[in-house]
Every structure is written in structure tokens, then in C-alpha cells.
Amino acid sequence: MEFVANAGKNVEIEVSGNIYLRHAIQTRFVTGNDNYIDIMKEYVKDIYQEGDIISISEKIISICQNRTIKREDIRISRMARFLSKFASQASPQGYGVGVPIKMQYAINKMGLLRILYASIVGGFFKAFGVKGVFYKIAGPEISGLDGFYDGAWEEYRDIGIEIPYDSVAVCNEIRNKLGMSCMIVDANDLGQEILGKSDDIKLGDKFLKQMIRDNPAGQSQQRTPIILIRKKF
């Protein structure tokens, strides 16, 4: 097969002396009516080879699980607007609690006291050049919230997309039903996180993140939420 990369990305990447090929798989726009097993069958089954690793954007898994929140269901408080003024507009995971609605989500999800504590401690460390402390305290549900932003897709303007439920179980389900080794990632041009991987993958998360360190899935309207990774021999 011919490996294809998104514009501005490379097919090949070097990790610890090994060369890996990445193929960006374009899909249709995934909605809550889709099933991730069916998506993998439709777009990946015919090109997958044993030994490949499939990197799957957390967005399409979350959407298939209906892990979404409507803008209309979140009432933004004065406290959320106030705290968001002191937050960076982007976290290592993307647009964060500098957006008031995401700060309100954080308060609703984790409680006001925890978010106040995260804001105070995070602000203290940020004054000394240490970023990301807020999200470490607030937790992965907060750093992983996507959506409420239409920079790439208008459909995401009025919905928030939570991180998938039990990413490890999802990866193992895909492996057991389809025989594909896979990982679910929260990645953008600023950073990458491995949310889960199938049990047969023995490579560490640090190594896996290096395979996608340039965010080969892209950041805009590429519609390539699945990346097939194959070691070059």
C-alpha cells in the first residue's frame, strides 16, 4: 500500500533508531450514530497487517460513546468567567479553561473547591514559569475536554466532547473482535497523551507518544482521526 501523510506532515518518523511509517486514514464525519467497531472495519480492516499499531483519536471514540455535552446545558457563572481570565487560552492538550464555558465545566465536574485550589496553585507555579499544574490537579477529565470551539468544525461549536469511557477496554475490544493492536490518543500540535492501549502492545507510553509527536492526524479539517503505524524494515 502507499502511505499518505497530511499536508505539512511526514510519512516517516524516527524513534530510538527505528523508522516508522504513518498512514493517515480519512473517514467520513463521525457522529453519535456511528459505532467504532464498524468504523474500524470499514476503514482499517483491509489494510491492517499484524505488527501494525493503530492510533485512534479520542474524539471519534467519545462521539461513538455519546460522551458529549450541549452548550445549552451549561450555565456559566460569574466565578467561571472570573477564573477563566487568569487561565492560559491553551493547555498542553489544546484550548482549555481560558474559555469560560470550559472553566464552568471544570467547576461542575470537579467541584468549586478543587478548581479554586487548582487555580491558586497553578497560578503560583505559572509565576515561576511552570505550566500545566492546574490540569494536573484538576484531572484528565478537564484537560481532555474538547469542543466548544469551531475553529476546525462548526459542528463542535456548541458541544463539548469528554474523554472516552474506559479507553483500555475499548482498545481490547477492538483487538479481540478485529485483531488490531491499537491505542486511543489525545493529541494535537501542542502535546500528546496515550489514554489507553490494547494489552498486546508492550511498548511504553513514552515511546508510543514519540511515534505521533508531530500530530500526524492534523489539527484542522483533515478528517483523518485514524493513523496506521508500521515499522519500516
Side-chain angles (χ1 to χ4, degrees), residues 169-232:
V170 171
C171 290
N172 283 327
E173 181 186 3
I174 293 171
R175 176 64 185 176
N176 293 335
K177 290 183 177 180
L178 303 177
M180 299 177 187
S181 303
C182 61
M183 59 183 179
I184 296 172
V185 305
D186 181 0
N188 55 44
D189 291 340
L190 299 175
Q192 306 79 38
E193 294 295 332
I194 309 299
L195 301 184
K197 59 188 177 184
S198 51
D199 291 343
D200 62 304
I201 297 178
K202 302 307 179 185
L203 297 171
D205 287 3
K206 185 176 181 180
F207 192 97
L208 294 172
K209 285 193 283 187
Q210 284 297 302
M211 291 179 171
I212 56 169
R213 63 178 180 266
D214 59 340
N215 188 25
Q219 191 78 352
S220 185
Q221 295 194 17
Q222 292 89 347
R223 211 168 70 247
T224 52
I226 303 172
I227 303 295
L228 183 146
I229 304 171
R230 181 174 298 167
K231 189 174 182 180
K232 184 178 180 180

Side-chain angles (χ1 to χ4, degrees), residues 92-106:
Q93 288 74 33
Y95 287 87
V97 293
V99 180
I101 194 169
K102 290 194 173 184
M103 181 64 80
Q104 187 63 56
Y105 169 84

Side-chain angles (χ1 to χ4, degrees), residues 8-48:
K9 309 295 181 179
N10 297 317
V11 166
E12 295 189 359
I13 195 166
E14 186 272 332
V15 182
S16 299
N18 299 300
I19 302 297
Y20 292 88
L21 307 176
R22 289 92 51 81
H23 178 55
I25 300 174
Q26 191 172 67
T27 70
R28 63 179 177 276
F29 190 87
V30 176
T31 73
N33 294 322
D34 286 305
N35 178 283
Y36 53 79
I37 295 294
D38 293 337
I39 293 290
M40 298 299 289
K41 282 181 181 178
E42 181 176 352
Y43 292 102
V44 187
K45 182 179 179 181
D46 290 342
I47 60 174
Y48 179 87

Side-chain angles (χ1 to χ4, degrees), residues 116-174:
L116 279 173
Y117 176 71
S119 298
I120 293 169
V121 176
F124 173 81
F125 277 95
K126 189 164 68 173
F128 292 93
V130 180
K131 298 180 180 181
V133 174
F134 173 92
Y135 293 99
K136 289 181 180 178
I137 297 173
E141 289 277 2
I142 308 308
S143 61
L145 181 70
D146 214 326
F148 294 132
Y149 171 69
D150 61 356
W153 295 101
E154 183 179 351
E155 290 87 348
Y156 293 161
R157 188 180 80 85
D158 292 321
I159 63 168
I161 306 170
E162 298 182 291
I163 61 174
Y165 175 73
D166 205 340
S167 293
V168 173
V170 171
C171 290
N172 283 327
E173 181 186 3
I174 293 171

